[in-house]
Amino acid sequence: MKASEQDGTYPRPILRRELWHSLDGVWEFGYDDSRVGERDAWFSDASTDGFDREITVPFPPEAPASGIGETAAHAVVWYRRRIPHGILAVGGGDRALVHFGAVDHRAKVWLDGRLVAEHVGGQTPFTADVTDALRPGAEEHVLVVRAEDDPADLAQPRGKQDWQDRPHAVWYERTTGIWQTVWTETVGAQHVTDLAWIPDPARGVTAEITLAAAPSGPVSVQIELSHDGAVLAGSTTAVRTPRGRVDLAVPALRNGIDREDLLWSPERPTLLDARVTVRDAATSEVLDTVDSYVGLRSAGVGRGAFLLNDRPYYVRSVLNQGYRPDTLIANSGTAALRREVELIKAMGFNAVRIHQKAEDPRFLYWADRLGLLVWGETGAAYEYGTEAVELLTREWLDLVRRDRSHPSIVTWVPVNESWGCSDIANDPAQRAYTVALANLTRALDPTRPVMSNEGWEHTDSDIMGVHDYASDPALLTRRYGDAAGFEALLASPGPAGRTLSLDARQTERYRTGEVPLMVTEFGGLSVGAEEDEFSYTRTTSDTQYAALLGDIFGVLHTSPIVAGFCYTQFMDTAQETNGLLCTDGSPKLPLETIRRIVTGAEPAPEVKPEPPALDGAER
């Protein structure tokens, strides 16, 4: 199926197969507060203990949509699902796989009483090969998952999940256990396990392919790129190791005029369809076929600007927490994710910063397909130490590998506001940590800008991101109205009392134009907020709200030194009422008014989506 024809339901958009089966829906569920489940063998298919409730997967038990809605702390939970044999049936050397989009935080998986997988990392996917655990002759199989998520462990990456009993300030309800789609596939013994695309708009694309095992004999990997039904490039390569790298030249890119038709951007989100076929080189037998897509674009910085396809591009971004009232950190399906992307674009933004979480890959698919830049981020830990460094680093590298093929992602943000390294200004080890994370990210993906520490106390960032919640337009003008004003801010303690740059090289890179300046968090306005609700600045009427919103956006629009911005935030979330939308998805001002403010009066598109209710039942 072409990228332009997908409905976005497949949970892993970059590596798709036609035959798959969702395991989302009602599972048996139980809390294990006494941690006796493993001792008492709850994973046994004959066990009758522990599973005294039902839950709707993939919604976490804290979410109303799960059918439970229990927000008290429970560190250990168990899931059980009975699966008809036909869904997992294999033959002729095939393998049965069960994929998990995300389970927070430590997971163990059993099939028919046999341990088939263990995983650590609450935002990253993993796969259980259950083939060898299938009971011969069984009419159904029993899948059991144990998830452990200590709510008080501040070394564990947690993002916006609160460690206190109740959500406060800018932190929200916890997430325990399964919160992204679970699905099955039947594949050949030799199959593709990972696929990555590295675009070069001047020449073509490089494919990095990982196979399930080292080939016993040579296999051939055939790749075909097409657009609108026309083949653009093809290659067949012999592969003798588990990992192969294939360079595909796209002749159409040689013509600079034709090239424009193939480049990806928010204004023209062109996607090339890709098919990868793995064959036995001796017999030509097809071992695996996967479909994918490629967006040809470059992302970088220079000349004091963010560069998209080597041209200055003004970034108009909005902060999206990715928490929804009914599903919390999870989401209610691909249609709702599409509506979020459509609504962000209708409001006049060309970019989004997914804040303190790794969003469902289907959100990234819709950003790819509809045209929206994304800053990729992760949930932070809240203390510094060996365990915190190890956990976040492993999870972050896995996320970069998961998402690096999405053309929408144009910037990586491993650290935000010194969270998890709060003593960075005085601790050389914490500074080294942020520099190491930035460089590890560049080692995996040298094609995108990287932030060493978003918002302040930069150590080695490719963008000078500044978080400034001042609501006085005159003060913002003094800071960003000209280069001298920002130089004074650089020399001061900073808008939040945090020095903006901790490294002279970082400051010099900004001054020479190598690193652009962006105000990457600002605003935070509420209208008519209650006393127990959080916002950075309160307004009392729609008129005051619209006027102040227009004034602070106007300062950044007219600044000669600011290369982009990110407004806080897309939607009200729990007690944080900074959104341009209410929690039900309705805009606080008419969409046309918001768009005029965000863009500086750019006209609205001809077709605008209706403000949706962002929670629902479809998946």
Side-chain angles (χ1 to χ4, degrees):
M1 183 182 293
K2 295 180 180 179
S4 58
E5 297 173 352
Q6 290 183 64
D7 61 6
T9 57
Y10 190 90
R12 187 185 53 207
I14 292 295
L15 199 167
R16 307 187 312 275
R17 295 185 177 91
E18 290 186 4
L19 299 178
W20 65 286
H21 185 91
S22 174
L23 295 181
D24 291 348
V26 177
W27 292 47
E28 297 172 86
F29 179 81
Y31 293 117
D32 186 9
D33 295 338
S34 299
R35 299 176 183 260
V36 299
E38 285 193 272
R39 184 198 69 190
D40 294 346
W42 290 7
F43 51 80
S44 168
D45 57 348
S47 173
T48 59
D49 294 330
F51 301 94
D52 57 351
R53 302 174 183 232
E54 289 186 338
I55 189 170
T56 300
V57 168
F59 308 122
E62 294 86 354
S66 71
I68 295 178
E70 171 61 68
T71 59
H74 297 279
V76 179
V77 297
W78 288 74
Y79 299 79
R80 183 164 64 189
R81 170 73 183 259
R82 300 182 187 277
I83 306 172
H85 175 70
I87 293 177
L88 295 175
V90 293
D94 287 347
R95 311 298 295 181
L97 308 179
V98 179
H99 302 288
F100 295 84
V103 181
D104 200 3
H105 168 71
R106 300 177 185 270
K108 288 186 175 182
V109 182
W110 292 263
L111 194 284
D112 290 346
R114 180 169 172 178
L115 184 66
V116 291
E118 296 185 67
H119 180 74
V120 177
Q123 301 178 97
T124 50
F126 66 98
T127 297
D129 185 334
V130 302
T131 313
D132 296 335
L134 296 172
R135 291 177 303 171
E139 293 184 359
E140 68 175 14
H141 303 282
V142 180
L143 182 68
V144 176
V145 179
R146 178 189 188 271
E148 181 174 352
D149 188 17
D150 184 349
D153 186 354
L154 299 186
Q156 179 181 302
R158 61 193 312 114
K160 286 299 192 87
Q161 298 182 54
D162 211 326
W163 60 96
Q164 298 185 14
D165 289 340
R166 297 299 306 148
H168 76 290
V170 298
W171 288 275
Y172 317 134
E173 294 287 2
R174 289 176 290 271
T175 295
T176 305
I178 298 171
W179 66 276
Q180 286 188 23
T181 292
V182 184
W183 82 101
T184 70
E185 285 183 314
T186 300
V187 298
Q190 185 61 286
H191 59 277
V192 178
T193 61
D194 188 51
L195 176 62
W197 303 102
I198 305 170
D200 178 356
R203 182 180 176 276
V205 65
T206 296
E208 292 186 350
I209 299 160
T210 304
L211 300 175
S216 55
V219 299
S220 66
V221 175
Q222 178 183 356
I223 303 177
E224 183 178 273
L225 297 181
S226 62
H227 179 56
D228 286 343
V231 176
L232 296 178
S235 173
T236 300
T237 305
V239 175
R240 294 176 172 81
T241 65
R243 289 166 295 279
R245 185 180 174 99
V246 180
D247 296 319
L248 285 91
V250 177
L253 295 174
R254 296 172 186 162
N255 184 319
I257 304 301
D258 291 344
R259 181 187 303 168
E260 296 297 319
D261 294 335
L262 297 177
L263 295 185
W264 185 96
S265 70
E267 293 70 30
R268 191 171 186 169
T270 301
L271 297 177
L272 309 186
D273 297 300
R275 171 161 286 191
V276 178
T277 305
V278 181
R279 300 177 185 269
D280 185 300
T283 65
S284 295
E285 174 191 0
V286 174
L287 305 176
D288 193 19
T289 300
V290 298
D291 289 308
S292 186
Y293 62 86
V294 180
L296 291 175
R297 64 101 190 91
S298 64
V301 293
R303 310 193 294 276
F306 178 83
L307 303 177
L308 185 66
N309 297 323
D310 204 34
R311 297 172 184 169
Y313 190 90
Y314 194 85
V315 176
R316 302 190 304 265
S317 184
V318 67
L319 195 77
N320 187 358
Q321 306 286 2
Y323 279 70
R324 294 94 184 175
D326 196 42
T327 62
L328 302 183
I329 199 172
N331 65 82
S332 56
T334 184
L337 293 172
R338 175 175 183 155
R339 288 197 296 269
E340 284 193 23
V341 173
E342 289 175 331
L343 191 51
I344 289 169
K345 287 178 66 72
M347 294 162 77
F349 297 103
N350 56 26
V352 63
R353 181 178 166 209
I354 302 297
H355 191 40
Q356 283 299 299
K357 69 173 287 193
E359 189 53 279
D360 190 313
R362 295 172 301 171
F363 181 94
L364 300 178
Y365 164 73
W366 289 116
D368 294 339
R369 178 171 164 181
L370 301 176
L372 184 69
L373 304 182
V374 177
W375 284 31
E377 198 162 332
T378 186
Y382 287 96
E383 68 180 24
Y384 180 79
T386 302
E387 181 74 3
V389 168
E390 185 173 328
L391 287 173
L392 189 137
T393 301
R394 177 70 270 165
E395 194 162 347
W396 175 245
L397 296 183
D398 286 345
L399 288 172
V400 172
R401 287 176 61 90
R402 188 195 78 168
D403 294 340
R404 61 183 174 147
S405 294
H406 289 280
S408 57
I409 291 189
V410 294
T411 304
W412 295 118
V413 185
V415 180
N416 172 71
E417 291 185 348
S418 306
W419 291 2
C421 49
S422 58
D423 297 317
I424 187 173
N426 303 308
D427 186 348
Q430 295 186 24
R431 288 199 297 277
Y433 171 49
T434 63
V435 172
L437 273 177
N439 282 324
L440 276 171
T441 307
R442 296 183 182 109
L444 256 63
D445 176 20
T447 71
R448 293 172 171 92
V450 179
M451 307 293 282
S452 61
N453 187 16
E454 230 291 87
W456 54 62
E457 297 179 328
H458 290 275
T459 54
D460 184 17
S461 293
D462 296 319
I463 296 169
M464 184 73 83
V466 179
H467 294 180
D468 191 338
Y469 285 103
S471 59
D472 179 358
L475 176 58
L476 290 171
T477 299
R478 287 198 298 273
R479 290 173 174 173
Y480 307 105
D482 54 34
F486 187 67
E487 282 291 338
L489 189 64
L490 273 174
S492 78
R498 296 271 193 159
T499 302
L500 295 181
S501 174
L502 295 179
D503 192 295
R505 291 168 296 182
Q506 175 79 45
T507 306
E508 185 61 23
R509 291 174 69 204
Y510 157 72
R511 288 171 176 157
T512 60
E514 181 184 351
V515 169
L517 166 66
M518 293 190 190
V519 181
T520 46
E521 285 187 28
F522 77 105
L525 308 186
S526 66
V527 56
E530 301 294 334
E531 283 300 318
D532 59 347
E533 294 174 333
F534 178 89
S535 66
Y536 292 94
T537 297
R538 296 170 183 261
T539 65
T540 57
S541 69
D542 290 351
T543 301
Q544 185 188 28
Y545 177 68
L548 185 54
L549 201 64
D551 287 345
I552 61 176
F553 268 95
V555 171
L556 299 184
H557 280 305
T558 58
S559 169
I561 61 171
V562 171
F565 57 72
C566 181
Y567 181 79
T568 303
Q569 60 189 15
F570 173 57
M571 183 170 68
D572 287 351
T573 306
Q575 71 283 349
E576 187 175 1
T577 57
N578 297 322
L580 292 166
L581 307 180
C582 301
T583 54
D584 64 0
S586 60
K588 296 181 180 178
L589 297 172
L591 278 181
E592 294 81 358
T593 301
I594 294 174
R595 183 180 183 87
R596 187 169 62 251
I597 291 170
V598 169
T599 64
E602 179 180 308
E606 292 184 7
V607 179
K608 302 187 299 295
E610 291 299 318
L614 295 179
D615 286 282
E618 82 282 9
R619 290 215 62 78

